[in-house]
Amino acid sequence: MSDHTVTLTQAERVRTATNLRPADAATMLILDHSGRKPRVLMGKRHPSHKFMPGKYVFPGGRIDPEDRRMIAAGALPGPCEQRLAARCVRPSAQRGRALALAAIRETFEETGLLFGSAEYGAPENPPPGVWSEFASKGIFPDLGAVTFVARAITPPRRPKRFDTRFFTVDASAVAGKVEGIIGPDSELVDLVSVTFDEARELDLPTITKVIIAEVEERLKAGFGAHLPVPFYWEKRGSFVREQI
């Protein structure tokens, strides 16, 4: 077992009797390389949330049907597309694309940041809801700016289960921002840009600590498209780390 799998296996967890199928979800690490050390954007969840109250997390959430219908600029890099399809029961390029778009949409919904391009005008006929609001800012979500870096499945018999794909995007890819999203009554009550060392000092879910360490190692290794992606899941009561 690696240190990370031991950490995840030993984390205390409430197990409920019924087992749920994990929902597809996506999360975004916004990386800022403008300073001496890379920084990552993290949000503090509202203390009244039933799920991870008061924890610092990356923006993200479950995939929506509209994510499959939203048009986008660019395409996911080939290796990302292939790895998103790996170890899936019904793999498809559309599903990988929708997951990356979910990460962009959730980031906009929770932080007000729009990652994409303003070069093409406003996307026509966006799906209703959040994507319609995104498009009204005259910005196309850009899949070419996104990199798939990790995957993790919540263990069985947890109250909520997610099959989460973690993506990164460079802070310089931001094309717009809606103010007033973060606040005392919002899903995220605070937003901080921190170094990896500073992030580790925050109140983080265990999996978030592991993903920060994985992304830090990926950056040290050059962050190349050829690098494999770690996949964490539980097998017979212990976490395993696969590479996909």
Side-chain angles (χ1 to χ4, degrees), residues 96-115:
R97 182 183 180 280
L99 282 160
L101 281 167
I104 294 172
R105 173 187 52 74
E106 285 282 347
T107 299
F108 170 57
E109 217 170 330
E110 294 181 4
T111 70
L113 295 169
L114 297 100
F115 284 95

Side-chain angles (χ1 to χ4, degrees), residues 7-35:
T7 300
L8 289 166
T9 299
Q10 291 178 348
E12 287 185 24
R13 292 188 177 87
V14 176
R15 305 271 186 160
T16 55
T18 54
N19 198 17
L20 305 168
R21 183 191 294 270
D24 278 333
T27 291
M28 187 76 87
L29 283 76
I30 301 156
L31 302 177
D32 182 354
H33 296 281
S34 61

Side-chain angles (χ1 to χ4, degrees), residues 33 38 60 69 81 90 93 104 138-139 145-146 154 157 173 212 238 244:
H33 296 281
R69 301 203 301 272
E81 201 170 69
R90 290 183 296 277
I104 294 172
I139 292 166
V146 172
T154 313
R157 303 198 320 280
I212 284 173
S238 296
I244 53 176

